[in-house]
Amino acid sequence: MQIRDLGEFGLIERLNSMVTRGRRGPDNGATHNFRLLVDTGDDTAAWTAADATELFTTDTVVEGIHFTRETTPWPDLGWKSLASNISDIAAMGGLPLYALITLGLPPETEVADIEELYRGMLEIGEKYGVAIVGGDMVRSPVIFITVALTGVRTGSPMLRTTARAGDLVAVTGFLGSSGGGLKLMLEGLAAPEDAAAFLREAHRHPHPAVAEGQMLSQSGVLTAMDVSDGLADDLSKLCLASGLAARIYADQVPVHPYLRQAFPDDYLESALNGGEDYLLLFTAPEETVKEVLPNLPEGAASIGEIVDGPAGQVTLVSPNGEETVVSRAGWDHFG
Amino acid sequence: MQIRDLGEFGLIERLNSMVTRGRRGPDNGATHNFRLLVDTGDDTAAWTAADATELFTTDTVVEGIHFTRETTPWPDLGWKSLASNISDIAAMGGLPLYALITLGLPPETEVADIEELYRGMLEIGEKYGVAIVGGDMVRSPVIFITVALTGVRTGSPMLRTTARAGDLVAVTGFLGSSGGGLKLMLEGLAAPEDAAAFLREAHRHPHPAVAEGQMLSQSGVLTAMDVSDGLADDLSKLCLASGLAARIYADQVPVHPYLRQAFPDDYLESALNGGEDYLLLFTAPEETVKEVLPNLPEGAASIGEIVDGPAGQVTLVSPNGEETVVSRAGWDHFG
């Protein structure tokens, strides 16, 4: 059945019922500390404010630009469209809370596909404590999904502007697996099945680093952002925001053995420019980084340092000491 | 210059600078009581929570579906894309606060057009106290604009679910002017210049009823929604949410003299189904409605009553007593 058959309101009713069925208990999901006063279906959602700093972010994906149905099945698309937003909240050291979902859909979209999309959203929402509290659905010649997400945190958020020369640069896990998975699928490359399955899963089912963000923040890390466009690009943005440069060491960039196995010659390219890693990049004085690294997941590593230099410039140092500027001054989605 | 020439980051920088330049004073716009801790440019925006109920809404427009460049110039499109969201906050009795703007844009979009779009957003933001605190910009084959907006209110929000049989149904101003203006432009109809200018302006520059919403709520009105899809459709939604029906009287539906002048035969059709009025529809006991009507703008009127009957059914009663069911059980954007 297509949306044009079921109708807008029929579809909204189905999705709302999926969403609210998932909330536990009499007070709209007290297990996740939601304080909803008005749920989906009115002019706006409403809740009681927490005594905290509030966070607010949004992220959009467009079919053919950010995803294809071939590389990203519907439930994974739902998971990922929330994951990229949760990752932004994680990068501030916060907890995600309330989401609005906007769907741009052609009338010939299959209702069952949109239900699968929501299944993926609800799955990650349940895992990370996100309540979908409303949204908008519009007709569009191209499919797009916009998520707007709030979060909270007690204490100061981690920023991009606070890096200092001498800080170490570190990441919370292996880089490039998602990009490697996408490349395998797009180019139909052969790889050992274990490696291929791992990389595909990394692309389709990323796990935003919410717990890591909270731990970093509680350990006194002041500077962080999430890695979504690739390490080289995102570190460059962080450096630009802080008015500094960075040097990173090729042999310190953490790469999963499966990525190395599938791409023995160009795993480093994936790690630097792969995108959609959704782990955290942070900078802090050496003693802080040494203190937090043992508490982070496998792969977490110090990879270089913040230095004085042209704002935004990231230099890669190879094992034999060769230096290459790898920052691209912001990857241009319109180029 | 097109976006593909300036580049994503160049454009984001220009728009961010427009946005933050507009904030007054050292603390990011204290004139509007913004309590921003992190402004545009980091992973998320952040602010200090108010001791209040928080509201959260989103609304999207797609070129060719919701607007055309011919009927809606860029600054008006910016104004309207925020206005429809502010109107949802108004319908809860709240004050709007923080907005995220998502733009889906083809690479050949003119940079100057997007700056004009933002000019309109900033104009209404300044008037209604909305701070643009971030967003997302993506490449898309079709232009779309999604706004996510928060708001606050002290006390209980007005809902759609709380209408009672015997309540009067009322609106906060003249209906159908926006729809009339659009019809004039789309069909190239002739009309007296004063009337045409008024109706065009009503379509391009609607004024969300924030002050009216606050006044209603403070006067004890419990049930309200904004009129965005047309009176017949929106009243039907309100009735459906409350499990009741409504009767409205054709000769009580408030219509501006200019609309009547331009459409002597079918002004009522515009008033019932025109859409984009962005005023408020509310229900309350007779004594409450009589008390608030004198404090509302010109055009505000009681137009009928909530009755027992099929949930969502709206009946129009003509001056000679003839009855017509005008509810369409939800206008289907995908039909």
Side-chain angles (χ1 to χ4, degrees), chain B residues 165-196:
Chain B
D167 275 3
L168 292 188
V169 175
V171 291
T172 62
F174 295 115
L175 288 158
S177 304
S178 170
L182 179 62
K183 197 171 172 184
L184 279 186
M185 287 186 279
L186 284 180
E187 301 179 10
L189 301 177
E193 188 40 45
D194 281 2

Side-chain angles (χ1 to χ4, degrees), chain A:
Chain A
M1 181 169 38
Q2 298 179 342
I3 298 183
R4 71 165 107 225
D5 307 319
L6 179 60
E8 178 185 9
F9 295 97
L11 179 57
I12 289 175
E13 202 177 298
R14 278 196 193 199
L15 298 178
N16 280 351
S17 136
M18 283 176 74
V19 163
T20 51
R21 208 189 306 135
R23 301 210 218 292
R24 304 256 176 79
D27 57 347
N28 281 321
T31 48
H32 283 313
N33 290 316
F34 300 139
R35 307 200 284 183
L36 275 178
L37 300 171
V38 182
D39 209 330
T40 58
D42 218 294
D43 293 283
T44 77
W47 59 81
T48 310
D51 182 20
T53 297
E54 306 203 291
L55 310 172
F56 193 20
T57 189
T58 189
D59 206 43
T60 293
V61 290
V62 179
E63 184 176 14
I65 310 286
H66 304 93
F67 70 93
T68 69
R69 298 185 212 187
E70 288 67 44
T71 53
T72 312
W74 288 101
D76 295 326
L77 183 60
W79 174 287
K80 286 183 73 171
S81 56
L82 261 169
S84 66
N85 285 278
I86 294 171
S87 185
D88 282 325
I89 300 285
M92 305 296 272
L95 288 174
L97 263 180
Y98 303 110
L100 299 177
I101 310 297
T102 297
L103 302 179
L105 301 172
E108 63 274 17
T109 309
E110 290 292 331
V111 169
D113 289 342
I114 301 307
E115 289 178 326
E116 287 296 282
L117 179 82
Y118 258 64
R119 204 163 56 72
M121 288 183 179
L122 291 169
E123 196 190 339
I124 192 171
E126 178 67 22
K127 183 172 162 65
Y128 283 91
V130 175
I132 297 173
V133 297
D136 194 15
M137 195 181 300
V138 296
R139 186 149 66 92
S140 163
V142 63
I143 293 179
F144 64 87
I145 304 166
T146 300
V147 174
L149 181 65
T150 71
V152 286
R153 102 160 232 88
T154 44
S156 296
M158 297 186 288
L159 305 179
R160 300 179 181 190
T161 50
T162 40
R164 295 194 176 186
D167 275 2
L168 292 189
V169 174
V171 291
T172 61
F174 295 114
L175 289 158
S177 304
S178 170
L182 179 62
K183 197 171 173 188
L184 278 186
M185 288 187 278
L186 284 180
E187 302 180 10
L189 301 177
E193 187 41 43
D194 281 0
F198 172 84
L199 298 174
R200 216 163 39 222
E201 181 71 6
H203 180 71
R204 291 178 170 174
H205 234 220
H207 291 266
V210 171
E212 292 88 322
Q214 297 218 293
M215 193 277 284
L216 291 179
S217 181
Q218 282 155 16
S219 305
V221 172
L222 301 177
T223 310
M225 73 180 288
D226 76 319
V227 183
S228 54
D229 288 340
L231 173 68
D233 189 53
D234 288 328
L235 178 55
S236 174
K237 283 185 201 150
L238 186 146
C239 287
L240 195 62
S242 292
L244 291 164
R247 289 163 62 85
I248 56 176
Y249 300 91
D251 54 5
Q252 294 181 28
V253 173
V255 171
H256 194 277
Y258 278 141
L259 181 67
R260 206 182 289 251
Q261 187 184 4
F263 297 97
D265 300 326
D266 49 4
Y267 60 85
L268 192 61
E269 162 63 21
S270 261
L272 291 176
N273 299 315
E276 299 199 297
D277 290 308
Y278 299 126
L279 43 73
L280 301 184
L281 170 67
F282 63 101
T283 85
E286 184 173 359
E287 58 273 25
T288 307
V289 173
K290 290 214 162 128
E291 191 190 313
V292 299
L293 276 182
N295 304 319
L296 287 168
E298 204 193 0
S302 162
I303 60 172
E305 65 257 345
I306 298 292
V307 295
D308 287 314
Q313 182 172 293
V314 176
T315 305
L316 180 73
V317 184
S318 76
N320 62 20
E322 199 181 318
E323 301 197 354
T324 320
V325 173
V326 293
S327 47
R328 295 180 294 169
W331 184 63
D332 193 340
H333 298 83
F334 291 91

Side-chain angles (χ1 to χ4, degrees), chain B residues 8-180:
Chain B
E8 179 185 8
F9 295 95
L11 179 56
I12 290 175
E13 201 176 301
R14 278 196 193 197
L15 298 178
N16 280 351
S17 136
M18 285 176 73
V19 162
T20 51
R21 208 189 306 134
R23 301 210 216 291
R24 305 254 176 79
D27 57 348
N28 281 321
T31 48
H32 283 313
N33 290 315
F34 298 139
R35 307 201 283 182
L36 274 179
L37 300 172
V38 182
D39 209 330
T40 58
D42 218 294
D43 294 283
T44 78
W47 60 79
T48 310
D51 182 18
T53 298
E54 306 204 290
L55 310 172
F56 193 20
T57 189
T58 189
D59 206 42
T60 293
V61 290
V62 179
E63 184 174 16
I65 311 284
H66 305 93
F67 70 93
T68 69
R69 299 185 210 188
E70 288 67 44
T71 53
T72 313
W74 287 101
D76 296 327
L77 183 61
W79 175 286
K80 286 183 73 171
S81 56
L82 261 170
S84 65
N85 286 279
I86 294 171
S87 185
D88 281 325
I89 299 286
M92 305 297 271
L95 288 173
L97 262 180
Y98 303 110
L100 300 178
I101 311 296
T102 297
L103 302 178
L105 301 171
E108 62 272 18
T109 309
E110 291 292 331
V111 169
D113 290 342
I114 301 306
E115 289 178 326
E116 286 296 282
L117 179 83
Y118 258 64
R119 204 163 56 72
M121 288 184 179
L122 290 169
E123 196 190 340
I124 192 170
E126 178 68 22
K127 184 173 161 63
Y128 284 91
V130 174
I132 296 173
V133 296
D136 194 15
M137 194 181 300
V138 296
R139 186 149 66 92
S140 164
V142 63
I143 293 179
F144 64 87
I145 304 166
T146 300
V147 174
L149 181 65
T150 72
V152 286
R153 103 160 230 86
T154 44
S156 296
M158 297 186 289
L159 304 180
R160 302 178 179 190
T161 50
T162 42
R164 294 191 176 189
D167 275 3
L168 292 188
V169 175
V171 291
T172 62
F174 295 115
L175 288 158
S177 304
S178 170

